[in-house]
Amino acid sequence: MTDEERKVVITFLEEVIQELKNGVGKDKELEKLVTQYMNKLGIPAHVNGYHYIRTAIMVAMKDEDMLNGLTKKLYPEVAKNFNSTAAKVERAIGSAIETMWFKGNVKAQFDIFGYSRVEEIKKPTNGKFLKVIVEYLKLI
């Protein structure tokens, strides 16, 4: 290995170590976990709300206080990540939750929420959905 190749390898390893120190690895693991449970519930990945929900859950996992102010804190934060508006984020999340509730995995709904559409209970609100998912994932 030449000195130049060694420098490239060392630089790469230093960058990886820095990313790990900054928590990038943790973020990827969290993203995988959130994605896994969203897929388990049956939230379709092709709807806009899917990405908004995933981001909202990840933001709330890091700062649970965001769940106490959805319209003032969480939705605007998510909207910034997608160059969107808080109102669009709110509508898209609600739409994705509705799709999950009426077409998704009934067993997963019951396991996570304690009830499902089979009991003819209304779909959870955006706030309840996000709070339950965040609490559920924190217990894993």
Side-chain angles (χ1 to χ4, degrees):
M1 184 181 284
T2 68
D3 285 344
E4 189 62 34
E5 290 171 329
R6 275 192 200 98
K7 287 179 185 176
V8 170
V9 169
I10 290 170
T11 302
F12 171 76
L13 292 174
E14 288 172 344
E15 289 172 359
V16 168
I17 289 168
Q18 190 60 44
E19 286 179 357
L20 292 173
K21 285 181 181 177
N22 293 337
V24 172
K26 291 178 188 174
D27 287 349
K28 284 294 178 192
E29 287 303 313
L30 176 59
E31 187 175 6
K32 285 179 189 177
L33 181 66
V34 171
T35 301
Q36 178 184 18
Y37 276 89
M38 288 176 60
N39 291 333
K40 187 176 185 178
L41 282 166
I43 301 172
H46 67 279
V47 298
N48 286 338
Y50 177 91
H51 300 287
Y52 295 155
I53 289 172
R54 184 170 60 194
T55 301
I57 292 169
M58 291 176 60
V59 167
M61 292 284 288
K62 292 176 187 173
D63 181 6
E64 212 167 331
D65 187 50
M66 294 291 249
L67 293 171
N68 294 327
L70 295 178
T71 56
K72 299 281 186 204
K73 296 178 186 176
L74 186 60
Y75 296 152
E77 181 67 27
V78 172
K80 274 195 269 182
N81 290 313
F82 293 95
N83 197 26
S84 186
T85 66
K88 287 180 182 179
V89 168
E90 182 176 13
R91 276 193 309 274
I93 287 176
S95 178
I97 292 170
E98 185 168 333
T99 300
M100 175 276 304
W101 195 250
F102 292 108
K103 296 181 181 178
N105 183 333
V106 174
K107 182 179 178 336
Q109 290 171 3
F110 188 81
D111 290 346
I112 294 173
F113 294 95
Y115 60 93
S116 68
R117 68 177 179 265
V118 173
E119 287 85 17
E120 296 185 24
I121 297 175
K122 291 183 179 180
K123 74 175 179 79
T125 62
N126 291 9
K128 182 167 185 168
F129 175 85
L130 293 170
K131 287 176 184 177
V132 169
I133 294 293
V134 168
E135 285 302 313
Y136 185 84
L137 293 175
K138 282 189 172 195
L139 295 173
I140 293 177

